[in-house]
Amino acid sequence: MDCIYLDFATAFDSLPHQRLLRKVYGYGIRGKLITWARSFLIGRRQRVSIASLSSLLTHVLSGIPQGSVLGPLLFIIFINDMPEVVNSLIRMFADDTILFRIVNREADSMVLQKDLIALQYKSRVTKGN
């Protein structure tokens, strides 16, 4: 059994809001719920402060606020279709994923490698707006 452990901890910070909202809408979430999700994500601003110096406020265009109840749910909605792009077994929980396969031949290892590449490609595609 070959296992690949993936941790998408930084993915929480890089999910584009508009793409995430399209996926939420694609799951049939409409009306007040989509408005709630949109207001949770859109219009946030942040600044960086070091000692007594602070940057200007800037709009946040990506990322899910961590430490919230809604954040993990939105992240799961975003990555929920990952199993559709792999041929190996995959288990996901929050930002942790295990991709695994029984390997009896070199061809089995190649399938696992192709699945890893497919997930990497998917992550590149989903980062764009």
Side-chain angles (χ1 to χ4, degrees):
M1 177 73 65
D2 281 359
C3 298
I4 300 170
Y5 295 89
L6 306 167
D7 184 357
F8 295 108
T10 59
F12 270 90
D13 300 329
S14 62
L15 293 181
H17 294 159
Q18 294 304 324
R19 184 171 294 247
L20 174 57
L21 288 170
R22 281 193 298 271
K23 287 190 100 170
V24 169
Y25 187 84
Y27 277 103
I29 298 170
R30 309 275 196 288
K32 290 182 181 181
L33 286 176
I34 192 83
T35 301
W36 180 48
R38 184 177 292 112
S39 67
F40 178 72
L41 296 170
I42 307 295
R44 290 182 177 272
R45 299 186 320 161
Q46 69 182 19
R47 76 174 69 187
V48 176
S49 297
I50 300 175
S52 62
L53 299 174
S54 294
S55 68
L56 297 174
L57 280 171
T58 185
H59 287 279
V60 178
L61 304 176
S62 63
I64 299 174
Q66 294 184 39
S68 65
V69 174
L70 189 55
L73 176 62
L74 291 172
F75 184 76
I76 288 169
I77 288 172
F78 194 78
I79 66 167
N80 195 44
D81 57 353
M82 280 179 31
E84 296 172 14
V85 300
V86 299
N87 293 305
S88 300
L89 297 171
I90 189 169
R91 296 294 180 262
M92 303 180 307
F93 180 77
D95 61 352
D96 295 315
T97 299
I98 301 172
L99 182 67
F100 57 101
R101 180 174 201 82
I102 295 173
V103 175
N104 293 317
R105 302 179 310 275
E106 186 174 342
D108 298 324
S109 292
M110 296 304 293
V111 170
L112 190 60
Q113 180 63 43
K114 286 179 183 179
D115 288 342
L116 188 58
I117 291 168
L119 290 176
Q120 182 181 10
Y121 175 75
K122 179 171 178 38
S123 72
R124 284 188 193 144
V125 169
T126 57
K127 284 184 182 176
N129 263 336

